Amino acid sequence: MRFRPCIDIHNGKVKQIVGGSLRDVQDQAEENFVSGQDAAFYAELYKEKGLKRGHVILLNSGDSPYFPATKEQALLALKAYPGGLQIGGGVNPDNAQEYLQAGASHVIVTSYVFKDGKISWENLEKIEKAAGREHLVIDLSCRKKADAYYVMTDRWQKFTQVPVTLELMERLGSYCDEFLVHAVDVEGKASGIETELAALLGEFHMRPVTYAGGIGSQQDLDLLDKAGKGNLDFTIGSALDLFGGSIPFERLL
């Protein structure tokens, strides 16, 4: 397993939030930590430590009054660490090249591809063409409903009708370079991982997969390694000491 760092930006500030609490109405979210440092500070730290393929996530919608400040922070991070960070949040064919030219190694997409509760293969082809397969990450962040995990869109607020399966990942894998998967129900809670989801993702070998959600201790990391059969990379936000948690950043290097 490899550690992938993160920079989550909400209302123009680097934050760690409870993922499932995010609401576009009044740009609300339950906050675990609000940093006094800007996004460039964390990008420079990750660059200094040689950590690549972390992700910057814009957590405001494009029509939010906070979006310009959030985007400004994201661009500062990309400028500070060109080629070292991926970026997601409202990515589409119209802005993908802007972010890549600003220094992103990859763009991360969910809602543009999963439209109206289902996959838009037409949109997927458009974003692949705009960004290039080698620069595209598909985000399959999901929540469990009944007996399956379903892809969530619009900043994890809307269920799609699309379950996360190996067959789906194999088909999508021909369009992208890797996958990012947040377990939304435990994201930001540091309360333990979704072992069933990790086991499913660990069976996939076609592309790199980064798991996020619920990691709060070394025991959780050991469990993720076991459940994912050593095949998953991971990212930690709220549990990391950089963001007010108890897991030492230096231990993950």
Side-chain angles (χ1 to χ4, degrees), residues 1 215-224 247-248 251-252:
M1 293 196 307
I215 298 171
S217 65
Q218 182 60 50
Q219 289 75 20
D220 290 329
L221 286 173
D222 294 341
L223 183 58
L224 178 64
I247 297 180
R251 184 188 296 173
L252 302 175

Side-chain angles (χ1 to χ4, degrees), residues 3-248:
F3 169 56
R4 303 280 194 97
C6 66
I7 305 173
D8 294 336
I9 308 171
H10 182 246
N11 295 357
K13 295 183 179 297
V14 176
K15 295 183 182 180
Q16 290 301 320
I17 68 167
V18 176
S21 73
L22 194 61
R23 297 291 182 271
D24 287 344
V25 177
Q26 299 181 340
D27 294 288
Q28 298 176 344
E30 182 180 338
E31 299 169 348
N32 288 323
F33 179 84
V34 181
S35 178
Q37 303 286 351
D38 66 6
F41 169 85
Y42 294 99
E44 289 166 356
L45 176 62
Y46 300 155
K47 180 180 179 180
E48 175 189 336
K49 300 300 184 181
L51 295 168
K52 297 183 178 180
R53 293 201 171 194
H55 53 273
V56 180
I57 303 295
L58 293 77
L59 293 173
N60 291 103
S61 66
D63 57 2
S64 164
Y66 292 100
F67 183 78
T70 292
K71 182 177 178 180
E72 180 182 5
Q73 284 294 311
L75 292 175
L76 285 174
L78 298 182
K79 182 178 180 180
Y81 193 5
L85 296 167
Q86 305 169 355
I87 188 168
V91 171
N92 58 57
D94 295 329
N95 60 25
Q97 277 300 317
E98 175 190 0
Y99 289 130
L100 292 171
Q101 290 171 10
S105 66
H106 295 69
V107 292
I108 305 167
V109 65
T110 306
S111 297
Y112 180 75
V113 169
F114 294 89
K115 299 290 290 184
D116 301 320
K118 56 188 178 181
I119 299 175
S120 170
W121 296 102
E122 178 182 358
N123 282 5
L124 180 56
E125 290 173 359
K126 287 180 180 178
I127 191 65
E128 181 199 21
K129 182 177 180 180
R133 185 194 64 78
E134 69 277 16
H135 299 296
L136 186 62
V137 177
I138 295 179
D139 187 334
L140 296 179
S141 294
C142 54
R143 301 180 78 164
K144 192 171 186 181
K145 183 169 64 173
D147 59 349
Y149 286 90
Y150 287 83
V151 176
M152 302 294 295
T153 62
D154 298 282
R155 292 156 300 284
W156 308 327
Q157 295 171 80
K158 296 180 181 179
F159 272 99
T160 69
Q161 303 167 24
V162 183
V164 177
T165 64
L166 293 178
E167 292 76 14
L168 173 71
M169 295 179 72
E170 288 170 3
R171 189 170 180 187
L172 293 176
S174 63
Y175 293 88
C176 68
D177 195 42
E178 59 183 78
F179 291 96
L180 172 65
V181 186
H182 292 81
V184 175
D185 281 330
V186 295
E187 171 65 19
K189 295 182 178 180
S191 57
I193 69 166
E194 291 270 11
T195 53
E196 184 180 350
L197 177 61
L200 169 65
L201 300 175
E203 295 292 338
F204 183 74
H205 303 280
M206 181 178 176
R207 296 279 183 262
V209 180
T210 298
Y211 170 92
I215 298 171
S217 65
Q218 182 60 50
Q219 289 75 20
D220 290 329
L221 286 173
D222 294 341
L223 183 58
L224 178 64
D225 192 26
K226 180 179 180 180
K229 301 177 178 63
N231 295 326
L232 302 178
D233 291 341
F234 67 95
T235 188
I236 300 175
S238 297
L240 202 63
D241 61 357
L242 291 179
F243 302 115
S246 60
I247 297 180

